[in-house]
Amino acid sequence: MKTNSFRLIGLITLLSMPVLASAQRDGSNSGALRGFQYQQPEMGTVFQLQIWSADEKEADDAAQAAWDRIDQLNQELSDYLPDSELNQLCRRTDSGPMKEPVRVGDDLWNILSAAMEAAKLSDGAFDVTVGPLTRLQRQSRKTHTLPDRQALKDAMSRIGWRYVKMDPAHHSVQLLHAKMQLDVGGIAKGFTSEQVVKLLKQRGLNHVLCGAAGDIAVGDPPPGRERWRIAIQSLKNPEEMSDYVAIRNYGISTSGDTYRSAIIKGERYSHIIDPRSGLGLRKRIGVTTVAPHATTADWVSTAISVLGAEKGLALVERLDGAAARIVTLDEQGHEKVYESKRMPQFLIANPATSAPKPDSVH
Ligand code: AMP
Ligand code: MG
């Protein structure tokens, strides 16, 4: 689907100027690059693409290639599709731990490698083996009740990133516990966006963006701009923007519980799970991260949500080129803001209010 103007639903909003259909088809500047925007439901959310090209057909064909790639990644990595490569791997543990490793495709290998590195660096706060817990949590969202003790205990017994054995020499994986369920939802949108930007660049299209809700990868900025400008929703008042970030050839992610939480007996439980308790986070926290790779930005924002501000900042400082802005909200509604050392270099003033006019602010 091609669109002429849109507002991204959830957490991050793009500030680049929408391109009008008339301008897109204006033959008078056929030599110049023109911006084309597309959006489509994918992976349970809405993905969007921005592609700058001299030729509309080139942009349309590239967008089609991007949708095909996203679809392929969904077929491989989804924990909803029973026959995804990920779920087929997990099913091998139905009657006990896998006796032998199995070779997996490049995408599954790459995302699981990144996820295992994330687990190590975050000391298990980011853990893609939380699948049994996310399944309980999805039920809780529907029934508005917490899982019963036995179900929680059973799910907790099947969790642990150390049960995932990776063999880099053979790109093979062995799951070392019975009834494991992997869930790459905390890293897949950043990973996918990064893959799509890579694909578009391979086609010679460098001024591009791909993203979904809170997870975006960007290439070179729109012509005439220094950087892509992205607005972050306020945790306290989601209809307002709290911050503005400027990046190029980078990834940005925001994790928060604004849209996907369960209210149970008056308490809000985030869709992000603390692997130590087995339950959704109850503290209010919104985390925006930037990193040279969108895959990293994605897992780090989820990991920091679990770790909290202090440990989260320590984690992000250890990652090359990464930065974070963390907002916590206490029970009285008081916000507290934390920024990592590198964050100020990515923050910009509100382009709508800063002089002289939005387009000149980079
Ligand atoms: P995000 O929106 O990127 O912060 O990711 C949230 C999603 O990650 C959830 O919907 C789950 O699918 C998954 N998830 C939840 N808790 C964790 C965790 N502790 N580690 C890794 N993934 C998680
Ligand atoms: Mg994430």
Side-chain angles (χ1 to χ4, degrees), residues 280-298:
L281 302 179
R282 284 170 58 193
K283 58 187 182 203
R284 300 290 319 272
I285 185 165
V287 183
T288 295
T289 52
V290 291
H293 294 280
T295 308
T296 313
D298 192 352

Side-chain angles (χ1 to χ4, degrees), residues 337-355:
V337 179
Y338 306 79
E339 271 173 23
S340 73
K341 291 196 187 104
R342 282 181 283 258
M343 196 65 204
Q345 75 195 60
F346 298 99
L347 292 171
I348 50 170
N350 178 351
T353 56
S354 58

Side-chain angles (χ1 to χ4, degrees), residues 125-128 130 134 183 185-186 255 260 271-273 275 298 302 306:
F126 185 87
D127 184 347
V128 292
V130 293
T134 46
D183 170 0
S255 284
R260 291 166 65 204
H271 65 299
I272 299 173
I273 288 165
D298 192 352
T302 309
V306 177

Side-chain angles (χ1 to χ4, degrees), residues 16 33 50-53 201 205-209 218-229 246-250 361-362:
S16 57
L33 294 181
Q50 289 206 20
I51 299 173
W52 293 79
S53 163
K201 285 185 171 183
L205 297 162
N206 294 314
H207 303 272
V208 292
L209 171 149
V218 300
D220 291 345
R225 289 261 173 89
E226 287 281 314
R227 301 188 190 284
W228 290 93
R229 303 173 312 188
I247 48 170
R248 58 186 294 153
N249 294 302
Y250 241 66
V361 178
H362 298 301

Side-chain angles (χ1 to χ4, degrees), residues 114-127 186 255 285 287-292 295-326 338-342:
M116 288 305 116
E117 185 66 13
K120 249 182 254 165
L121 289 166
S122 67
D123 202 16
F126 185 87
D127 184 347
S255 284
I285 185 165
V287 183
T288 295
T289 52
V290 291
T295 308
T296 313
D298 192 352
W299 76 252
V300 180
S301 63
T302 309
I304 295 177
S305 302
V306 177
L307 288 169
E310 207 172 300
K311 287 187 179 157
L313 286 176
L315 168 66
V316 83
E317 298 300 3
R318 285 191 280 137
L319 302 172
D320 279 348
R325 187 172 190 280
I326 305 167
Y338 306 79
E339 271 173 23
S340 73
K341 291 196 187 104
R342 282 181 283 258

